[in-house]
Amino acid sequence: MNTEELPVWNLSLLYKSPEDPALLSDIGKIEKAAKDFEEKWRGKVAGVDADGLLAALEDYEEAHLASVAPYVYASLGYSANSEDPAILTLLHRVREKSTEAHRHTIFFTLELDGISDEKFAALAASPKLAAYSHYLTETRRAKSHRLTEPEESILTLKALSGRTAFVQLYSKLTSAFTFPSPLEEGKTLTGSELLALVKHPDRAVRRKALETYSAAYREAKTVISSVWNALALDHRQNTELRSYEDIMSPVDEQNELSRKAVDTVMGVTRENYPLAQRYYRWKTSALGVEKLWSSDLSAPLPEKEAEAITWEETKELVISSFADFHPSFAKIAAELLDEGRVDAKPRQGKSGGAFCMGAAPTLPVYVLTNFTGKLRDAATLAHELGHAVHFTLAGKQPLLEYGPVLPLAETASVFGELLLTKKLLGREMDRASKRALLAERIEDVLATTFRQTMYTDFELDAHKLTATEFVTPESFCGLWEKRLAELYGDTVETLEATKWSWSAIPHFIHTRFYCYAYTFGELLVLALYGRYEEEGDGFAPKLIEILAAGGSKRPQELVVSLGYDLEDPNFWAGGYRVLEKLIGELENT
């Protein structure tokens, strides 16, 4: 594959370079915008009427927007090349300025807290503030967990040299990893290129790829486990300082979910672990091996070699599958690709994996992937462009209501993958191809439901253990192996290399308890997709309405119009009935 033909970002839509005078000017305005807001509104918020609060909210957004474009540019530049010292310097500078600026706007939320409950309720219900109703309601809900302004200011400052620094250390360490190729002596690979080999048809290559990848993380075990312990301590201290019930509570509140809904989705998922084990027994037989190794979980079926695909074919597949659902989906995806807002070329220093960044309704959305010429890369592109569709449709929301909460953030992305699967299954294909496609889709569901719940259980175990001791790398491995055994039962032999996989999962570092949002999103989308299959084209406006809401409604509020209850075990079990049907279809193909 000629990677030179793959696209890289055109960040000139934001700024021309790290030395762009416009960028340097904007960085200089970050703190001034916050100070201007403080001068205008400090001491006045408690006395405002609806018109005054609307003006204050709009000014508050403008103060925050001053730092967004510089941060997006620096962050994307760092993801594209973490070894560029100019970008690293820029990112440090923007973070420092943003932190200083934030200290001047902390007062606003605290002064909102000072408004009486009766007056606040009246303001939140005012038609003039309809665009901010959800933000105001959620702000009041979190009132009891906020500290005084000096305390909030100190925590903001300390995060820069604490949590933020540890996250950046992990990112810089792991993005610099290079790996010897299991196939060509003397050749080095990026992490994304190496992980692509876990789908290699040769079992020995798959195992070697996993072992090679794991070895780099094992060698960095002291640093990574230290980062883990430090971030767990930081999270626990913040949880205690803010008087949350437990370490999961702040995340549940940020996700705008009840604890019952979270416990229900995770409990129903654990009850359905036998479905994963059923599939892995089938795959053991299909591969013709005595025991499935943990390096075989993504192995291609023997009768169907991993299908190679070009970048042009990938783009055409994704855009056409989106167009089959609704023209707006395809239009948004095509615009990102045409305007240089997708970076697909693997290279040293570039972040591994994939993500989509939509930071503000006024800024362009960007997507990062690492294309390796496999059909799976098409699913990754569909996933990330689904996120881009979501961010773009939500662009009519104000900044404070723009971003969806994490459990809803995966809605469009997973739906995009399903649309691609539908497109592929609709093509003329032989039995082997259909089996391969069904297996691929089932493995996606397993990865985004069962494995993410297992990840969350491990993360909970690890956080609880850090409260009593400094957790060693080997202890992390033990917790990981215990949870893997619950998921796999006796169907998978966990290789020695696999016990280090916990250290390679960036979600544990970047965002506490992020992973259950994947389970939530996947099962929700299976339900939504089932409705789409029942209703056809008439369903598209309903999904678009959900996506266009951005972060302006709680998840339960968004789905209630479709007759769903997020605390009902039967709702979540319905998603696994779809999975069981897919497994049955595969077994009979």
Side-chain angles (χ1 to χ4, degrees):
M1 183 183 68
N2 183 9
T3 60
E4 295 302 319
E5 298 176 356
L6 295 174
V8 297
W9 276 325
N10 172 21
L11 296 184
S12 66
L13 296 172
L14 296 165
Y15 301 101
K16 293 183 175 65
S17 73
E19 295 78 31
D20 187 343
L23 171 60
L24 301 180
S25 174
D26 284 352
I27 292 173
K29 296 174 183 176
I30 292 174
E31 193 170 0
K32 182 180 184 303
K35 287 181 175 178
D36 288 347
F37 173 78
E38 181 181 30
E39 182 179 348
K40 182 176 181 180
W41 290 105
R42 181 180 280 278
K44 302 175 184 177
V45 177
V48 297
D49 57 12
D51 288 319
L53 184 53
L54 176 61
L57 287 166
E58 290 174 344
D59 287 348
Y60 185 58
E61 287 182 321
E62 286 300 315
H64 280 282
L65 276 171
S67 67
V68 177
Y71 175 77
V72 169
Y73 180 82
S75 180
L76 292 176
Y78 182 77
S79 295
N81 184 7
S82 64
E83 298 178 354
D84 184 342
I87 285 292
L88 183 58
T89 299
L90 177 66
L91 184 58
H92 276 300
R93 186 179 178 194
V94 172
R95 282 176 173 165
E96 289 171 0
K97 290 290 186 181
S98 299
T99 299
E100 286 297 322
H102 179 61
R103 295 175 61 210
H104 294 285
T105 61
I106 290 172
F107 79 90
F108 180 64
T109 304
L110 297 174
E111 288 194 22
L112 284 178
D113 289 346
I115 299 175
S116 69
D117 289 344
E118 183 179 1
K119 179 180 178 181
F120 194 92
L123 286 169
S126 169
K128 295 178 180 179
L129 292 164
Y132 297 94
S133 175
H134 169 265
Y135 170 78
L136 292 170
T137 300
E138 295 304 317
T139 296
R140 179 54 51 129
R141 196 189 303 272
K143 174 184 174 182
S144 62
H145 301 300
R146 276 188 283 275
L147 306 177
T148 65
E149 184 175 346
E151 290 169 328
E152 293 286 358
S153 182
I154 290 170
L155 287 178
T156 298
L157 279 175
K158 294 298 290 181
L160 195 61
S161 58
R163 182 178 65 252
T164 301
F166 279 111
V167 170
Q168 185 168 314
L169 171 62
Y170 176 87
S171 298
K172 186 165 182 59
L173 173 72
T174 56
S175 64
F177 286 164
T178 58
F179 306 87
S181 171
L183 297 174
E184 299 180 48
E185 188 174 350
K187 181 178 181 180
T188 59
L189 302 176
T190 65
S192 297
E193 290 171 327
L194 181 63
L195 285 179
L197 294 179
V198 299
K199 288 181 172 291
H200 196 279
D202 187 324
R203 194 182 197 202
V205 172
R206 295 195 297 269
R207 181 166 182 161
K208 184 64 175 176
L210 177 63
E211 290 172 343
T212 302
Y213 188 77
S214 173
Y217 285 87
R218 184 180 67 247
E219 290 173 10
K221 65 181 183 180
T222 301
V223 175
I224 294 176
S225 62
S226 296
V227 168
W228 230 108
N229 277 277
L231 291 175
L233 174 61
D234 175 83
H235 179 71
R236 187 168 66 254
Q237 289 177 335
N238 282 338
T239 298
E240 292 170 356
L241 284 170
R242 296 185 182 282
S243 302
Y244 282 105
E245 182 178 346
D246 56 46
I247 56 175
M248 282 279 282
S249 295
V251 184
D252 294 342
E253 290 200 14
Q254 290 166 15
N255 289 337
E256 299 178 8
L257 293 173
S258 68
R259 174 55 59 86
K260 184 177 180 181
V262 175
D263 288 344
T264 299
V265 69
M266 291 183 64
V268 170
T269 299
R270 292 188 204 100
E271 290 170 4
N272 281 277
Y273 277 0
L275 280 178
Q277 295 161 18
R278 174 179 164 184
Y279 172 75
Y280 290 133
R281 289 190 186 94
W282 176 90
K283 187 159 190 177
T284 300
S285 175
L287 292 177
V289 297
E290 184 177 340
K291 189 81 169 182
L292 203 65
W293 294 338
S294 47
S295 55
D296 295 326
L297 298 180
S298 300
L301 301 183
E303 70 268 25
K304 182 68 178 178
E305 292 188 8
E307 185 175 342
I309 186 170
T310 68
W311 176 246
E312 290 302 317
E313 290 169 337
T314 297
K315 291 193 299 181
E316 190 279 329
L317 260 178
V318 173
I319 292 175
S320 62
S321 64
F322 280 20
D324 290 343
F325 177 72
H326 196 273
S328 64
F329 274 45
K331 181 176 183 291
I332 292 168
E335 286 175 350
L336 261 82
L337 290 161
D338 292 342
E339 294 173 7
R341 290 189 277 143
V342 175
D343 190 317
K345 181 180 178 180
R347 55 195 181 273
Q348 185 173 337
K350 179 183 175 182
S351 295
F355 67 79
C356 175
M357 179 176 281
T362 55
L363 293 178
V365 178
Y366 281 86
V367 159
L368 178 144
T369 69
N370 282 276
F371 185 78
T372 59
K374 302 293 190 296
L375 187 58
R376 176 62 193 150
D377 294 325
T380 300
L381 184 63
H383 182 101
E384 300 306 335
L385 288 177
H387 279 304
V389 168
H390 199 163
F391 282 125
T392 304
L393 290 174
K396 294 181 180 179
Q397 299 293 339
L399 178 65
L400 295 175
E401 303 279 30
Y402 175 57
V405 292
L406 284 178
L408 291 177
E410 299 301 325
T411 305
S413 55
V414 178
F415 201 89
E417 289 190 68
L418 285 168
L419 292 175
L420 177 65
T421 300
K422 179 183 180 182
K423 183 76 173 182
L424 291 170
L425 286 173
R427 300 195 302 183
E428 191 76 27
M429 65 175 62
D430 56 27
R431 174 178 175 271
S433 296
K434 185 175 182 181
R435 278 163 57 97
L437 185 58
L438 283 169
E440 184 90 23
R441 184 61 205 137
I442 290 167
E443 289 174 11
D444 283 344
V445 177
L446 300 185
T448 49
T449 56
F450 297 129
R451 285 190 66 86
Q452 300 302 322
T453 294
M454 185 274 289
Y455 288 177
T456 304
D457 284 337
F458 161 81
E459 192 174 4
L460 275 167
D461 293 342
H463 273 265
K464 289 175 182 176
L465 190 56
T466 62
T468 62
E469 62 185 74
F470 185 89
V471 182
T472 66
E474 290 71 23
S475 293
F476 280 118
C477 291
L479 296 175
W480 184 254
E481 289 179 295
K482 174 179 175 289
R483 289 300 183 178
L484 281 177
E486 291 175 357
L487 172 56
Y488 297 147
D490 62 358
T491 62
V492 176
E493 179 183 338
T494 301
L495 301 177
E496 175 73 11
T498 302
K499 74 179 186 181
W500 295 98
S501 298
W502 60 270
S503 61
I505 297 172
H507 298 100
F508 294 155
I509 304 300
H510 291 279
T511 310
R512 308 295 77 73
F513 305 107
Y514 181 97
C515 295
Y516 80 68
Y518 280 111
T519 305
F520 185 104
E522 178 75 38
L523 292 179
L524 175 61
V525 171
L526 286 175
L528 293 173
Y529 191 79
R531 185 67 68 89
Y532 167 50
E533 288 187 317
E534 292 172 5
E535 298 182 13
D537 293 343
F539 175 79
K542 298 177 182 177
L543 180 61
I544 289 172
E545 183 178 356
I546 289 175
L547 301 179
S552 66
K553 293 182 180 179
R554 291 175 70 87
Q556 177 62 42
E557 186 181 353
L558 276 174
V559 303
V560 72
S561 62
L562 298 174
Y564 297 149
D565 179 0
L566 302 182
E567 296 183 353
D568 181 4
N570 290 323
F571 166 67
W572 299 111
Y576 287 116
R577 286 193 290 272
V578 174
L579 173 61
E580 186 172 16
K581 181 181 176 182
L582 285 172
I583 294 173
E585 185 177 355
L586 176 61
E587 290 170 335
N588 294 319
T589 297

